Amino acid sequence: MKGLEWVEAEINEMKNNESFRPLTELESDQRAKVMINGKEVIQLSSNNYLGLTTHPRLKLEAVRAVDTFGAGTGSVRTIAGTFSMHEELEKELAAFKHTEGSLVFQSGFTANQAVLGTLLTKEDIVISDELNHASIIDGIRLTKAARSIYRHTDTKDLEEKLKEASGYRTKFVVTDGVFSMDGNIAPLPEITELCEKYGAVLMVDDAHASGVLGRNGRGTVDHFDLNGRVHIQVGTLSKAVGVLGGYVAAPSAVIDLLKMKGRPLLFSTSHPPAVTAACREAVRVLQEEPERIDLLWKYTKYWKKKLKEAGFDTGKSETPITPVMTGEEKAAHELSDALLEEGVYARSIVYPTVEKGKARVRTMVTSEHTPEILDEALEAFIRAADRTGLQRNE
Ligand SMILES: *Cc1c(COP(=O)(O)O)cnc(C)c1O
């Protein structure tokens, strides 16, 4: 259309250099095996770590909530869209996280926008890990705070940046708890100590740690026994929790300020009853079915061991996020395409999501991926690697 010629040109260029990737459609529910293009394949790309997307208790609560409270809320939280169930979920989340309060947003993405957009002003400096999630980067962009970026998980560099930062009301350090593309864990004990030494405020985004690390999936803060020492935790209800949403767990004053000023809460409609009720049930399931987390870690270890034995490079992962490094962009796409033909869905991840030359196929095990399924997946990986010429170090 006239006026949008540059958009067409950009898309054509992407199609020419094979960086245009159509979205993949699932024709079934989200499980260890899913239907894609009319064929059943092993799902290794979802964040459904604990299999909760299809948990009978969550589904039942969602249906009940629709029956009783309807399909939508008809308002933003701050006007007429706060139902009792929203407040109940937040009370249960705060108790779960051992914090004074919690507040739920439409997604983890909007939770980061709300926290960073509300707590950072031109009087403050934010000190951020260079590989933090896009929603943190965008949240920082919404503010007039000074910015300082430290090298990925490099606590020496963080200390330098903390020393350099003077004359601000707040030094605000922010890091992912688990990094979403490499699956490594932030060195939180050292970061916490540095924040205490330099009087900085610490925020951890535990999207990939929620439901995965810590007792009953309480996250990295609990995993490292740092309860009470990290000021602000953001978590997601969209990954291991299996539904949709983001939450902030923090001291009451922070929660109250977010209720008054958090723009996604003020200007975007609240979660529909089905989502809130399913999330509330999921938090209960986390506490009542810890065996799901045990299975997740058991299968994660099994999968990493098998991949390594077959000579695949899994990078520096310490969590269920397990990349299979290919280096070249093209090799990642080719491996992913061949895998689908061999019966495995594992999406390629390339620049700009990761650095150029660090392309990969990212795999994620869940508590539903039995060793039999993983053995099947490994065979597919070996066949796909051989077909596409990906080197393995056997
Ligand atoms: C996935 C993710 C988010 C976004 O969470 P959603 O609930 O999917 O919006 C935020 N931060 C990190 C680190 C993530 O990995």
Side-chain angles (χ1 to χ4, degrees), residues 128-182:
S128 176
D129 186 290
E130 65 180 337
L131 292 190
N132 275 342
H133 190 258
S135 56
I136 295 178
I137 296 170
D138 287 11
I140 292 171
R141 282 186 183 144
L142 294 173
T143 79
K144 294 197 167 74
R147 290 123 214 242
S148 175
I149 310 295
Y150 65 94
R151 280 195 299 275
H152 181 49
T153 64
D154 183 339
T155 48
K156 281 215 176 63
D157 195 37
L158 171 59
E159 180 154 25
E160 286 307 311
K161 299 294 191 289
L162 281 163
K163 277 186 195 156
E164 285 165 16
S166 63
Y168 296 99
R169 177 181 63 181
T170 308
K171 294 174 204 166
F172 193 100
V173 174
V174 55
T175 181
D176 282 17
V178 170
F179 290 87
S180 49
M181 294 303 146
D182 291 300

Side-chain angles (χ1 to χ4, degrees), residues 26-264:
L26 298 196
E27 296 146 3
S28 64
D29 51 4
Q30 185 70 278
R31 293 181 186 271
K33 292 191 176 180
V34 295
M35 293 293 287
I36 293 176
N37 298 336
K39 190 171 102 179
E40 191 183 65
V41 297
I42 298 170
Q43 169 67 286
L44 282 179
S45 282
S46 89
N47 300 314
N48 184 28
Y49 292 113
L50 303 175
L52 296 193
T53 54
T54 54
H55 195 295
R57 279 174 59 181
L58 272 67
K59 295 204 304 193
L60 183 65
E61 284 306 308
V63 171
R64 279 196 184 142
V66 171
D67 267 350
T68 313
F69 293 102
T73 64
S75 173
V76 301
R77 285 287 300 273
T78 51
I79 297 182
T82 296
F83 290 17
S84 303
M85 60 164 71
H86 292 116
E87 298 277 337
E88 281 163 24
L89 169 60
E90 285 162 354
K91 279 207 188 79
E92 292 190 23
L93 276 171
F96 180 62
K97 297 284 282 186
H98 307 304
T99 55
E100 282 180 11
S102 98
L103 189 61
V104 173
F105 290 87
Q106 295 87 351
S107 68
F109 197 100
T110 55
N112 278 334
Q113 307 240 305
V115 179
L116 297 162
T118 301
L119 295 185
L120 292 172
T121 74
K122 62 180 188 314
E123 293 178 65
D124 309 307
I125 183 165
V126 56
I127 307 177
S128 176
D129 186 290
E130 65 180 337
L131 292 190
N132 275 342
H133 190 258
S135 56
I136 295 178
I137 296 170
D138 287 11
I140 292 171
R141 282 186 183 144
L142 294 173
T143 79
K144 294 197 167 74
R147 290 123 214 242
S148 175
I149 310 295
Y150 65 94
R151 280 195 299 275
H152 181 49
T153 64
D154 183 339
T155 48
K156 281 215 176 63
D157 195 37
L158 171 59
E159 180 154 25
E160 286 307 311
K161 299 294 191 289
L162 281 163
K163 277 186 195 156
E164 285 165 16
S166 63
Y168 296 99
R169 177 181 63 181
T170 308
K171 294 174 204 166
F172 193 100
V173 174
V174 55
T175 181
D176 282 17
V178 170
F179 290 87
S180 49
M181 294 303 146
D182 291 300
N184 55 321
I185 304 173
L188 218 50
E190 293 85 348
I191 294 176
T192 304
E193 270 170 30
L194 283 173
C195 287
E196 287 170 350
K197 182 170 169 194
Y198 291 91
V201 166
L202 177 56
M203 164 176 167
V204 176
D205 176 355
D206 251 346
H208 278 284
S210 307
V212 174
L213 281 168
R215 278 165 293 162
N216 299 85
R218 283 176 171 82
T220 51
V221 172
D222 189 81
H223 170 74
F224 286 118
D225 265 325
L226 297 168
N227 288 303
R229 294 173 65 191
V230 173
H231 300 76
I232 296 159
Q233 299 176 62
V234 168
T236 183
L237 303 165
S238 325
K239 289 176 174 142
V241 173
V243 194
L244 172 70
Y247 64 90
V248 183
S252 307
V254 170
I255 300 300
D256 286 344
L257 194 68
L258 289 172
K259 281 183 181 163
M260 295 300 110
K261 294 174 84 174
R263 291 168 73 84

